[in-house]
Amino acid sequence: MAPVIRHSTGVGFCTPGAQADIAERPSAVSGKTSETRRITLTVNGQQHDLQVTPNAILLDVLREQLNLFGTKKGCDHGQCGACTVHVNGQSVNSCLLLACMQEGVDIVTIEGLAESAGFEQGHHPVQEAFLEHDAYQCGYCTAGQMMTASAVINDDTIDGDEVSLREALSGNICRCGAYKNILDAVQSARGKMRGGQ
Amino acid sequence: MRQFELESVEAIDQAVRHRRVHDGQAFIAGGTTLLDLVKLDVMQPEKVVDVTRLPLKRIELLDDGRLKIGALVSNTELAKHEIVMRDYPVISEALLSGASTGLRNMASTGGNVMQRTRCPYFRDPDMPCNKREPGTGCSAIDGINRNHAVLGTSEQCIATHPSDMCVGMVAAGATLVLEGPDGQREVAFEDYHLLPGDTPEREHDLKPGELITHVILDAPRGGGQHYLKLRDRASYEFALASCAAVVNLDGDNIGEARLALGGVATKPWRADAAEAALKGQPATQESFERAAEAAFSDAVAYSHNGFKITLGKQAIVRALRDATARARA
Ligand SMILES: Cc1cc2nc3c(=O)[nH]c(=O)nc-3n(C[C@H](O)[C@H](O)[C@H](O)COP(=O)(O)OP(=O)(O)OC[C@H]3O[C@@H](n4cnc5c(N)ncnc54)[C@H](O)[C@@H]3O)c2cc1C
Ligand code: SF4
Ligand code: FES
Ligand code: FES
């Protein structure tokens, strides 16, 4: 097991920006400042010791403390899927997860997707397929799309027909409307990963 | 985002004791409602109690044929459970029509029962809202109310209850098990959510200090079942109108039908007038249309949501048609 990486600086506050208007409203800030606490997160197979506040959101910790910028913040409210990561192999929205509640689980982000699936070198088949099928325009939603797609392909309860896949992928919004190529890419990757199944 | 204390509990009595001692506490399970609303500053807990380590993750078939579901069973797991898919397809279909793959992986059964309305004024702390801040007025009644309810409304609040799962559970029949400082009690699922009346801030029959530990589904009713959800886009959207139907035939006639509605009412809505209108009637389009009329006979439309009365009736007719076809198959 690789050594634990300690992150002594930086405290996981919510990103200013999207929520800045709320932070300025006096009622929004509770009187006492919460203590930070030490937690250990396992991200892409690596353990990280972190210092965070109880309200730190996993998405913010990934981006701001671990510098894993592949995972994107679109809406910050579960409405777009840009922040999708895997927790124990299942796709989840990291903008609605508390970092402190993720100790002891395996977190995988787009940076670790290929390796987590045993592709030590190069890309995950879903990443290859997105390249081949030109399944993005601006690319902002792409990491989230690929994280959902890879979990959906591995899920035996989700069929590979177009209707089932479109339904299973619907939580990932693409503002550029690259849906047709995204679906083609996912079907092609699914075919390669699962053969005839 | 506001700060809060976070504490994790390992045993049910610990969780329940906690809520009695402190005010301003909230449980967190999946977090998909709570954290969304804390970020908006609509919910303002000083302390959040993490209940995800409690032993409430099992689905258990009881000796009397009922199905006992732990409050922490995820929406995905419940929807795809073998027994639920076989005996309660109306609940499985309702769950799978809700939210998205990722959110269903996170969301819990108890949290789904407790989810809050999607009324945009409720979600905006700058707007008056009787549910969020009693006595400030309802912004929706004279505002944009296209998504609001036509059944069970009051002059104080017309917000819909957003859950799909709860609508399926009302049709299938269920009981909630609650654990509190004074012990355990059970509440019929359809009595749990409250009408807004003069107290829209009171949404359910959960007393301070209580935790939902289980939902127990009635023994399977068999028959044909269907959940139909109509909305602005085909997926990842809340219902404008939905209908859960469980139909048992008696020859060519309807023996018993159980109907529940979503998207049109202030709580998961049992359509008992429609059920009564169906009993013993031939399973035909005319009977279904009469039942749909009965379901909406007391409906009240506001400036933008009158279309929901038509849409809701159509949802009933179509859900009954599909459930009946399945009952015959
Ligand atoms: C973008 C988006 C789209 C959605 N679309 C749909 C949809 O189409 N259909 C639908 O039905 N739902 C939809 N949802 C809502 C979703 O189903 C709920 O947010 C979810 O079920 C809540 O469960 P949770 O475990 O995450 O709850 P949490 O957020 O953990 O908790 C919610 C509330 O319940 C309380 N609570 C949690 N567990 C218990 C318990 N055991 N006892 C007592 N109180 C408890 C908490 O204190 C909190 O107040 C959507 C949500 C989002 C964000
Ligand atoms: S409908 Fe209910 S929730 Fe919406 S603004 Fe009116 S009081 Fe608030
Ligand atoms: S950023 Fe998480 S769903 Fe949009
Ligand atoms: S590629 Fe631009 S949002 Fe999807």
Side-chain angles (χ1 to χ4, degrees), chain A residues 59 72-83 93-96, chain B residues 236:
Chain A
L59 171 62
K72 298 290 189 275
K73 181 181 287 195
C75 65
D76 215 16
H77 288 275
Q79 298 175 3
C80 77
C83 64
N93 302 58
S94 64
C95 68
L96 294 180
Chain B
Y236 200 23

Side-chain angles (χ1 to χ4, degrees), chain B residues 30-226:
Chain B
T32 62
T33 288
L34 184 74
L35 295 176
D36 176 27
L37 292 176
V38 172
K39 287 182 183 192
L40 292 171
D41 213 30
V42 168
M43 289 179 81
Q44 309 181 331
E46 277 166 26
K47 180 162 188 171
V48 172
V49 178
D50 170 8
V51 294
T52 56
R53 291 169 198 227
L54 298 181
L56 300 172
K57 295 178 185 162
R58 290 184 51 203
I59 299 178
E60 188 189 351
L61 188 57
L62 302 181
D63 288 341
D64 59 9
R66 297 188 300 159
L67 194 67
K68 187 171 181 182
I69 302 158
L72 292 171
V73 171
S74 80
N75 285 185
T76 300
E77 210 188 324
L78 183 59
K80 298 194 172 179
H81 192 271
E82 210 188 327
I83 298 177
V84 178
M85 286 173 68
R86 187 190 64 212
D87 293 339
Y88 306 94
V90 73
I91 293 175
S92 184
E93 289 171 13
L95 279 162
L96 292 174
S97 78
S100 66
T101 311
L103 290 166
R104 291 191 298 267
N105 289 339
M106 300 162 73
S108 66
T109 306
N112 195 317
V113 173
M114 296 293 291
Q115 66 174 293
R116 313 291 304 271
T117 183
R118 307 297 291 196
C119 170
Y121 303 109
F122 172 76
R123 292 171 61 82
D124 180 352
D126 286 337
M127 298 301 291
C129 167
N130 285 327
K131 191 186 272 301
R132 182 169 27 75
E133 261 180 274
T136 53
C138 169
S139 299
I141 287 183
D142 295 316
I144 307 288
N145 48 43
R146 179 175 179 273
N147 289 328
H148 289 72
V150 293
L151 293 168
T153 55
S154 74
E155 310 236 303
Q156 308 303 322
C157 178
I158 60 171
T160 55
H161 191 276
S163 172
D164 295 297
M165 180 194 80
C166 292
V167 177
M169 286 182 174
V170 167
T175 305
L176 280 162
V177 185
L178 313 174
E179 182 93 29
D182 304 322
Q184 200 181 70
R185 67 188 180 103
E186 298 194 351
V187 183
F189 196 95
E190 60 180 278
D191 297 334
Y192 179 73
H193 295 96
L194 305 176
L195 291 173
D198 289 333
T199 51
E201 71 282 8
R202 290 191 57 224
E203 298 177 335
H204 45 69
D205 178 20
L206 192 75
K207 300 207 166 68
E210 282 185 325
L211 176 80
I212 300 173
T213 59
H214 300 88
V215 177
I216 305 181
L217 303 182
D218 291 1
R221 294 195 144 74
Q225 309 191 2
H226 186 48

Side-chain angles (χ1 to χ4, degrees), chain A residues 13-14 19 22 25 27-28 30 32 34 37 53-55 57 76-81 90-93 95-98 100-101 152 155 157-158 167-171 173, chain B residues 1-7 28-32 35-36 39-41 44 46 50 52 76 80 96 99-106 118 123 125-126 231 233-236:
Chain A
F13 292 111
C14 182
Q19 300 296 310
I22 288 171
R25 206 178 282 128
S27 72
S30 124
K32 58 178 173 297
S34 292
R37 57 167 80 182
T53 53
N55 71 345
I57 295 290
D76 215 16
H77 288 275
Q79 298 175 3
C80 77
Q90 282 199 316
S91 60
V92 293
N93 302 58
C95 68
L96 294 180
L97 288 175
L98 288 182
C100 294
M101 287 171 67
V152 161
D155 187 334
T157 68
I158 299 173
E167 175 59 45
L169 301 171
S170 73
I173 304 293
Chain B
M1 184 179 178
R2 69 171 36 240
Q3 298 287 348
F4 47 72
E5 277 178 66
L6 178 65
E7 187 163 345
I28 185 166
T32 62
L35 295 176
D36 176 27
K39 287 182 183 192
L40 292 171
D41 213 30
Q44 309 181 331
E46 277 166 26
D50 170 8
T52 56
T76 300
K80 298 194 172 179
L96 292 174
S100 66
T101 311
L103 290 166
R104 291 191 298 267
N105 289 339
M106 300 162 73
R118 307 297 291 196
R123 292 171 61 82
D126 286 337
R231 43 189 159 169
R233 61 182 177 197
S235 182
Y236 200 23

Side-chain angles (χ1 to χ4, degrees), chain B residues 275-294:
Chain B
E275 292 177 9
L278 287 165
K279 208 171 175 65
Q281 297 301 304
T284 58
Q285 177 84 8
E286 293 71 50
S287 305
F288 301 161
E289 284 172 6
R290 262 200 309 278
E293 289 300 327

